[in-house]
């Protein structure tokens, strides 16, 4: 393991973020704030408490997750897709670096950005909805693990995608529905029994549930199951990336 | 062949579509030489370079870089290599300085502003160091790619058509840079479509066609061996028929009949029909008045065109 390539990639990616600050930080913060205003303050006051938590506060962890997932996927996918698209990836492929160094650089930068965004949005949320975080350390751990895992997923999508449309399609078609149906806006025991069963196959349920537990101590599934799912998903992504770099899938003809 | 810095053994590449771009390529590059790889469009030059640098997975064969297998020991192998690709590819919004420094880091080297400064100056990019890449001209962008390749002090430099789109003055400057690198012990492999570039720069020349190496030769030996010489003899009076004494020579006449063209192999000049002096003697004996003489040696370009046509 050599730190210089990791640092070079990480810094270059963070510079890219700085150049596109408006689009990469300001716009997700604004759009998530709109959710807080509409669902939290306006509509939320007419909805009953869930598990002793006001609806406005209940949806905060889910909304942060929604943003965290979409941002992680889109940041990381764009970060690797762009050099592939422009051809400058030749340098990455000819450099004396292992796939792990590449992943740490790209995924690390994308995840850093997502975590910072998550914290900014959390701070913003408190302006609209009064709430406390019961287990801050667990909250941070979940934030971090989720950001890393979904940045890896984004990295895979970025390598897989052949064009900009595919790059946008996956977050739109997969991530957003999974999050909306993953209990961001409701507790899954509010669903009919059949759908409760189906929902348990949605990995996002475990993330939202675990994350919400770290805020309010209430959860849909057990904390252990949540953590196990995140870690499982993380290692699956890592294995896929290792396979991509070993076989050169979509990277080398 | 003892001190080869790159050894390519039986390298073949068949692309996913079934197209075979490289066929059993064997090639050795000597330490410290400038090697020019020539070949028509689509011959497989870029594919060969890509396979050595790790951009293309070979279907068969092995590449040794300074004794390291470029797949199994990719770290030490790749550390030694700098690559300037054929296509202009850049992170458009980066500055020259940042993108070149990035390359150095990517290749595992600690920052060294002095070295980067030296590289940028040698490529006359120093004034542009704070410019973003989109604001540069095509020739400057290509020089940025060269600077990136040199940022980590490689021992081997691949230049895939380095002077395409570069103006004449700059091309000469780039040749000087390449020579200077060679003087510092860097091995250089370049591809080019400008034959005079190979003629000017290379120590050895390889020709690839349809994915096969058809020839590897030391440049002077190549010109010597394959180079035909032509002697044109201008006569005072047109000749209707050749005098019998000249029949043994390989002569052709121009349409007007006042020029004789004599082809001979430069290396075998003294053998065969006796060469120029015998011809001149015979002309003299036959009483043909000679107005003027000039000789022409075929260039590498003629040789190249012949070679590629012959094997097509
Ligand atoms: N990714 C690919 N998939 C399929 N075929 C390819 C691919 N890359 C190159 N080829 C084919 O391989 C052959 C060799 O291409 P290559 O780029 O090596 O040629 P070249 O000698 O560099 O030509 P040029 O002088 O035009 O740069 C060509 O016929 C090309 O169409
Ligand atoms: Mg080429």
């Amino acid at each position: 393991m050599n730190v210089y390539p990791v640092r070079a990639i990480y810094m270059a990616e963070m510079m890219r973020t700085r150049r596109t600050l408006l689009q990469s930080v300001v716009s997700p913060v604004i759009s998530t704030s709109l959710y807080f205003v509409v669902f939290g303050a306006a509509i939320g006051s007419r909805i009953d408490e869930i598990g002793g938590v006001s609806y406005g506060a209940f949806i905060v962890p889910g909304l942060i997750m929604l943003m965290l997932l979409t941002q992680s996927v889109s940041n990381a996918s764009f970060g690797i897709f762009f050099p592939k698209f422009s051809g400058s990836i030749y340098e990455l492929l000819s450099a004396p670096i292992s796939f792990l160094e590449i992943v740490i650089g790209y995924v690390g930068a994308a995840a850093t950005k997502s975590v910072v965004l998550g914290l900014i949005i959390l701070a913003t949320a408190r302006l609209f909805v009064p709430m406390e975080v019961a287990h801050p350390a667990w909250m941070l751990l979940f934030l971090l693990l989720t950001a890393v895992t979904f940045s890896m997923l984004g990295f895979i999508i970025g390598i897989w995608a052949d064009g900009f449309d595919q790059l946008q399609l996956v977050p739109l078609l997969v991530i957003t529905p999974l999050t909306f149906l993953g209990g961001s806006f409701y507790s899954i025991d509010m669903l009919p029994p059949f759908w409760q069963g189906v929902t348990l196959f949605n990995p996002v349920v475990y993330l939202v549930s675990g994350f919400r537990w770290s805020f309010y101590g209430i959860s849909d599934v057990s904390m252990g199951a949540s953590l196990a799912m995140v870690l499982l998903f993380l290692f699956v992504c890592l294995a896929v990336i290792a396979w991509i770099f070993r076989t050169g899938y979509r990277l080398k003809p | 062949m003892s001190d080869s810095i790159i050894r390519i053994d039986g390298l073949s590449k068949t692309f996913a579509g079934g197209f075979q771009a490289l066929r059993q390529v064997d090639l050795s590059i000597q330490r410290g030489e400038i090697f020019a790889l020539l070949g028509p469009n689509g011959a497989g030059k870029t594919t060969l370079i890509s396979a050595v640098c790790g951009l293309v997975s070979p279907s068969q064969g092995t590449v040794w870089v300074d004794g390291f297998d470029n797949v199994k020991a990719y770290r030490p192998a790749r550390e030694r290599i700098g690559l300037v690709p054929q296509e202009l590819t850049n992170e458009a919004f980066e500055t020259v300085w940042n993108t070149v420094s990035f390359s150095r880091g990517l290749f595992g080297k600690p920052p060294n502003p002095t070295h980067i400064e030296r590289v940028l100056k040698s490529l006359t990019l120093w004034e542009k160091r704070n410019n973003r890449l989109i604001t540069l001209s095509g020739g400057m962008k290509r020089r940025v790619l060269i600077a990136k390749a040199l940022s980590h002090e490689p021992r081997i430099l691949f230049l895939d058509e380095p002077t395409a789109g570069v103006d004449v003055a700059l091309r000469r400057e780039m040749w000087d840079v390449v020579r200077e690198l060679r003087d510092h012990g860097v091995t250089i492999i370049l591809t080019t479509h400008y034959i005079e570039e190979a003629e000017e720069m290379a120590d050895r020349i390889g020709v690839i066609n349809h994915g096969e190496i058809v020839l590897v030769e030391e440049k002077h030996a190549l010109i010597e061996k394959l180079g035909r010489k032509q002697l044109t003899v201008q006569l005072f009076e047109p000749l209707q028929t050749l005098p019998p004494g000249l029949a043994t020579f390989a002569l052709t006449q121009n349409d007007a009949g006042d020029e004789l063209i004599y082809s001979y192999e430069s290396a075998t000049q003294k053998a065969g029909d006796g060469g120029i002096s015998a011809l001149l003697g015979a002309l003299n004996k036959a009483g043909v008045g000679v107005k003027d003489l000039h000789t022409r040696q075929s260039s590498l370009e003629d040789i190249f065109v012949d070679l590629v046509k012959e094997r097509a």
Side-chain angles (χ1 to χ4, degrees):
Chain A
M1 181 77 100
N2 186 331
V3 294
Y4 295 114
V6 175
R7 200 165 72 186
I9 296 172
Y10 185 88
M11 295 311 280
E13 282 299 290
M14 294 313 273
M15 292 267 263
R16 196 169 59 79
T17 307
R18 264 222 327 249
R19 277 200 303 271
T20 54
L21 202 63
L22 198 69
Q23 152 206 347
S24 52
V25 175
V26 177
S27 79
V29 170
I30 290 181
S31 65
T32 318
S33 300
L34 290 176
Y35 278 108
F36 292 142
V37 173
V38 173
F39 289 100
I43 302 178
S45 56
R46 311 203 170 185
I47 300 179
D48 290 340
E49 290 187 343
I50 301 176
V53 178
S54 82
Y55 186 68
F58 179 84
I59 62 168
V60 168
L63 280 174
I64 294 179
M65 271 291 160
L66 173 67
M67 190 280 318
L68 200 66
L69 301 192
T70 43
Q71 286 298 311
S72 298
V73 168
S74 76
N75 282 338
S77 62
F78 195 78
I80 188 72
F81 176 80
F82 191 71
K84 208 180 74 151
F85 176 75
S86 75
S88 59
I89 198 167
Y90 82 88
E91 209 179 8
L92 203 61
L93 296 177
S94 66
I97 49 181
S98 69
F99 93 94
L100 217 54
E101 287 158 339
I102 298 178
V103 170
I104 295 174
Y106 276 102
V107 168
T112 305
K113 207 160 114 183
S114 300
V115 168
V116 169
L117 256 178
L119 294 176
I120 292 176
I121 289 176
L122 180 60
T124 318
R126 294 194 57 170
L127 299 179
F128 297 99
V129 201
M131 56 166 190
E132 291 303 323
V133 179
H135 311 284
W138 280 103
M139 194 272 292
L140 278 176
L141 180 71
F142 253 89
L143 206 62
L144 200 65
L145 280 178
T146 309
V148 168
T149 306
F150 279 79
S151 294
M152 280 193 198
L153 181 65
F155 189 80
I156 295 170
I157 293 169
I159 289 175
W160 166 82
D162 270 337
F164 280 100
D165 44 347
Q166 287 183 346
L167 201 61
Q168 317 238 290
L169 210 64
V170 174
L172 209 66
L173 234 52
V174 182
I175 308 295
T176 315
L178 282 183
T179 325
F180 271 89
L181 302 177
S184 293
F185 295 103
Y186 52 85
S187 166
I188 59 170
D189 52 50
M190 292 157 81
L191 292 173
F194 173 73
W195 288 105
Q196 280 188 35
V198 171
T199 294
L200 291 179
F201 290 98
N202 178 354
V204 177
V205 166
Y206 299 88
L207 301 182
V208 171
S209 165
F211 196 49
R212 187 176 288 135
W213 178 85
S214 73
F215 278 69
Y216 310 122
I218 52 167
S219 60
D220 290 329
V221 292
S222 82
M223 206 38 201
S226 290
L227 206 57
M229 279 301 277
V230 189
L231 291 175
L232 175 71
F233 201 42
L234 191 143
F235 283 109
V236 169
C237 286
L238 198 60
V240 171
I241 297 174
W243 173 83
I244 285 175
F245 277 90
R246 206 180 53 245
T247 60
Y249 173 78
R250 298 247 167 157
L251 284 177
K252 297 184 195 185
Chain B
M1 286 292 146
S2 57
D3 199 20
S4 53
I5 194 162
I6 293 182
R7 216 181 76 220
I8 300 171
D9 277 345
L11 193 70
S12 295
K13 175 64 189 177
T14 306
F15 283 109
F19 180 82
Q20 191 170 8
L22 293 177
R23 300 158 193 271
Q24 288 291 321
V25 171
D26 296 312
L27 184 64
S28 279
I29 306 292
Q30 306 296 298
R31 194 179 299 274
E33 75 173 337
I34 298 182
F35 186 89
L37 189 60
L38 305 180
N41 286 136
K45 302 181 294 296
T46 301
T47 309
L48 181 59
I49 290 179
S50 302
V52 175
C53 297
L55 305 182
V56 159
S57 326
S59 315
Q60 245 177 46
T62 344
V63 177
W64 303 91
V65 179
D66 211 0
F68 296 101
D69 183 319
N70 83 329
V71 178
K72 294 197 185 92
Y74 68 94
R75 266 186 210 264
R78 291 182 187 177
E79 257 167 27
R80 289 164 166 70
I81 297 180
L83 166 65
V84 181
Q86 181 175 2
E87 306 287 336
L88 285 176
T89 56
N90 273 319
E91 302 285 358
F93 301 105
E94 281 286 4
T95 64
V96 172
W97 178 271
N98 284 349
T99 198
V100 175
S101 306
F102 168 79
S103 300
R104 185 177 170 89
L106 196 62
F107 275 73
K109 288 282 173 75
N112 183 346
T114 330
H115 176 70
I116 307 279
E117 180 176 338
R118 199 164 46 230
V119 168
L120 290 182
K121 281 185 172 157
S122 75
L123 290 160
T124 41
L125 282 168
W126 183 243
E127 270 69 55
K128 299 279 181 187
R129 65 189 176 279
N130 293 320
N131 279 47
R132 296 208 284 170
L133 296 173
I134 34 167
T135 66
L136 300 183
S137 76
M140 292 174 189
K141 284 184 190 143
R142 189 167 295 282
R143 279 180 283 146
V144 172
L145 292 182
I146 299 179
K148 281 164 82 73
L150 293 177
S151 65
H152 63 278
E153 302 158 69
R155 304 307 302 149
I156 305 164
L157 182 64
F158 283 93
L159 296 159
D160 200 351
E161 298 193 26
T163 50
V166 173
D167 70 43
V168 183
L170 267 177
R171 192 177 302 166
R172 304 227 160 250
E173 272 177 38
M174 261 156 80
W175 292 355
D176 290 340
V177 172
V178 168
R179 283 201 197 91
E180 202 187 306
L181 286 168
R182 197 258 311 263
D183 293 343
H184 283 90
V186 178
T187 306
I188 290 145
I189 298 101
L190 59 89
T191 76
T192 179
H193 288 289
Y194 301 111
I195 311 272
E196 77 271 15
E197 192 160 274
E199 210 164 345
E200 165 99 25
M201 307 274 299
D203 299 312
R204 286 196 311 149
I205 288 174
V207 178
I208 184 170
N209 197 18
H210 298 297
E212 279 176 288
I213 298 279
V214 293
L215 174 140
V216 176
E217 192 78 69
E218 203 268 319
K219 179 181 64 185
H220 298 294
L222 178 65
I223 294 172
E224 183 105 350
K225 194 157 111 191
L226 292 179
R228 284 202 172 69
K229 281 199 159 187
Q230 277 189 343
L231 171 71
T232 307
V233 184
Q234 289 183 335
L235 308 175
F236 283 113
E237 301 288 330
L239 278 180
Q240 300 311 324
T241 52
L242 279 181
L246 299 179
T248 52
F249 295 94
L251 288 175
T252 49
Q253 276 183 285
N254 70 342
D255 291 340
D258 60 353
E259 270 183 24
L260 294 174
I261 296 141
Y262 172 53
S263 303
Y264 59 100
E265 305 280 333
S266 54
T268 55
Q269 205 186 111
K270 294 202 177 76
D273 54 20
I276 298 176
S277 56
L279 173 67
L280 291 178
L283 281 168
N284 198 17
K285 217 152 131 198
V288 180
V290 173
K291 190 162 80 181
D292 200 1
L293 295 172
H294 69 262
T295 63
R296 195 176 84 86
Q297 172 152 23
S298 59
S299 66
L300 196 52
E301 185 159 338
D302 304 327
I303 299 170
F304 174 70
V305 171
D306 283 350
L307 204 64
V308 169
K309 208 164 51 196
E310 216 169 274
R311 319 243 180 163

